[in-house]
Amino acid sequence: MKIGLYFGSFNPIHVGHLIIAKHILNEKFVDQIWFVLSPQNPLKQRSTLLNEYHRQHLIQMCLEGESQMKCSTVEFKLPKPSYTIDTLVHLEEKYANHSWQVILGSDSLHNINNWKNSQKLLGEYDFLVYKRPGFTKSLFQQDNIKVLDAPLLDISSSHIRKLIKTDKSIRYYVTDAVYEEITSNNYYK
């Protein structure tokens, strides 16, 4: 089975993530998408992250009823911080019958040289890259990097957190269930 691995902190997950995932599935680039929740991204401050179990719950709420999408907590069991290369090696060992495609935004591809073992990643794995505002040119012209003609959305988790901190509405940036959960629990205040 061909699995798309959508790595992220998902702090919080928003409709932009879901639209990209659905586009990839609709275009049949992969059979399933696993949202790989990173409890601690090495490039982000831990203090800005909602507890990983709360983020997991928000993702699971979004994916309820989606047979081709699931939340993966594989990085919960791996050493922290989480490195994409370590997770990929672990998944290859555990699920030898699957093939993997890494889903990421062009902004992340732009910074991939800062990642652990970036040359190994770029040399050995396939990437599905969606365009992000300000990062529309592909830096890498390689056969294993497919730049998607996906909807270009300027939605980010950091923007959503800023809206919450300034008492502005996040309705429609996130699903209704996530909106209710964040609001009722005062997340990101």
Side-chain angles (χ1 to χ4, degrees):
M1 185 177 301
K2 191 183 289 186
I3 308 293
L5 298 173
Y6 201 161
F7 289 90
S9 299
F10 303 108
N11 189 42
I13 190 168
H14 54 71
V15 295
H17 296 124
L18 300 171
I19 290 169
I20 294 298
K22 190 54 84 173
H23 174 78
I24 290 169
L25 289 168
N26 283 344
E27 296 300 317
K28 303 195 183 316
F29 292 118
V30 296
D31 302 309
Q32 287 186 354
I33 292 181
W34 295 3
F35 286 77
V36 182
L37 177 57
S38 300
Q40 178 56 61
N41 179 318
L43 301 177
K44 295 187 180 177
Q45 291 183 347
R46 178 118 179 108
S47 62
T48 64
L49 294 173
L50 185 66
N51 173 286
E52 59 260 34
Y53 295 101
H54 295 313
R55 289 182 281 138
Q56 175 190 6
H57 179 65
L58 294 175
I59 295 169
Q60 288 171 331
M61 291 172 70
C62 284
L63 303 182
E64 193 170 310
E66 290 287 343
S67 62
Q68 291 180 284
M69 295 187 230
K70 75 174 211 167
C71 179
S72 171
T73 58
V74 63
E75 291 190 349
F76 286 29
K77 301 167 193 85
L78 298 175
K80 293 173 191 53
S82 306
Y83 294 100
T84 301
I85 189 67
D86 296 338
T87 305
L88 283 164
V89 168
H90 174 79
L91 288 171
E92 284 180 322
E93 291 171 0
K94 189 170 180 178
Y95 302 100
N97 58 332
H98 292 333
S99 64
W100 310 99
Q101 299 217 7
V102 177
I103 300 167
L104 72 157
S106 56
D107 54 336
S108 294
L109 183 64
H110 178 81
N111 293 315
I112 202 164
N113 288 324
N114 296 327
W115 295 18
K116 179 181 177 182
N117 295 345
S118 61
Q119 293 311 307
K120 179 178 171 82
L121 279 168
L122 289 169
E124 296 181 18
Y125 295 95
D126 292 329
F127 291 83
L128 296 172
V129 179
Y130 58 91
K131 297 172 188 169
R132 293 280 293 146
F135 298 92
T136 55
K137 296 218 182 222
S138 176
L139 300 174
F140 300 93
Q141 302 296 323
Q142 295 176 201
D143 290 341
N144 64 325
I145 298 175
K146 174 145 184 65
V147 179
L148 306 175
D149 188 22
L152 183 62
L153 301 169
D154 194 7
I155 299 174
S156 70
S157 296
S158 58
H159 178 69
I160 291 169
R161 291 192 308 273
K162 283 180 191 173
L163 290 172
I164 293 169
K165 286 183 184 194
T166 57
D167 291 322
K168 294 179 181 165
S169 176
I170 61 166
R171 187 171 292 283
Y172 310 119
Y173 286 88
V174 297
T175 65
D176 289 342
V178 169
Y179 174 81
E180 294 300 328
E181 190 75 9
I182 288 173
T183 304
S184 66
N185 288 294
N186 289 316
Y187 291 157
Y188 304 108
K189 285 280 184 179

